[in-house]
Amino acid sequence: MRTRTTLPMALLLSAVCAAGTLTGCTLRDLAEDCGGTDGRVGEVAALGILDSRPAGATVARGFEDVDAGCWADSGDVSVYADRTYAFPGTRAEVAAHYRTAAVRDGWAPDPGVVSDDGLCFAKEEMALRIVFLTAEGLAEDGHGSRPDLTTGAGYAINVDAPVDEGGEAGC
């Protein structure tokens, strides 16, 4: 006996199969790649540098928790943790804070990365990025108009670490 959900389910399964064929990746592959990474995700999410912030910076509304997880792409598996802050001051003040705090915490600045958009540091096969937020970028990510993050120097701090030994996290 057929039900009304047969056609939508068949279309969904066809789309998943087609996507897997085109990308070479299936949902099962993604789950297997990130399987067993919960401990590493927790370690990265607990790094103290994610809670370091310049005086006056506040955790942005809607971003109260550390966003942490795993992603896999073409066989490369990484874990990440992000924090987003609103800061009424300047980008220069944010940069000065992290140049001091990151180095004090054992992170080395990446000399090859010089940008007005952010900073990048490396430590033990991990990459630390400070990225300044823009209204356009927030809109692209589905966060709409956020004056609290685009007035002054709203920014995100991100740590990315490869799961496989010998993997490189870079800026």
Side-chain angles (χ1 to χ4, degrees), residues 15-123:
V16 168
C17 289
T21 301
L22 294 173
T23 63
C25 181
T26 65
L27 294 175
R28 183 173 173 233
D29 292 336
L30 180 60
E32 286 178 4
D33 288 344
C34 284
T37 60
D38 291 345
R40 184 70 174 131
V41 169
E43 290 172 12
V44 172
L47 291 172
I49 194 69
L50 293 168
D51 292 321
S52 177
R53 59 186 181 218
T58 58
V59 174
R61 180 180 32 80
F63 296 92
E64 289 82 5
D65 298 320
V66 173
D67 176 27
C70 173
W71 62 267
D73 181 32
S74 302
D76 295 327
V77 181
S78 291
V79 296
Y80 67 89
D82 298 317
R83 289 298 309 246
T84 301
Y85 292 100
F87 182 63
T90 66
R91 289 181 175 193
E93 292 171 299
V94 171
H97 170 81
Y98 284 104
R99 283 189 183 108
T100 301
V103 170
R104 187 178 322 126
D105 195 40
W107 296 86
D110 187 325
V113 177
V114 178
S115 170
D116 290 336
D117 297 328
L119 305 168
C120 191
F121 301 86
K123 174 182 175 180

Side-chain angles (χ1 to χ4, degrees), residues 87-91 133 147-154:
F87 182 63
T90 66
R91 289 181 175 193
L133 304 176
D148 59 323
L149 295 176
T150 56
T151 303

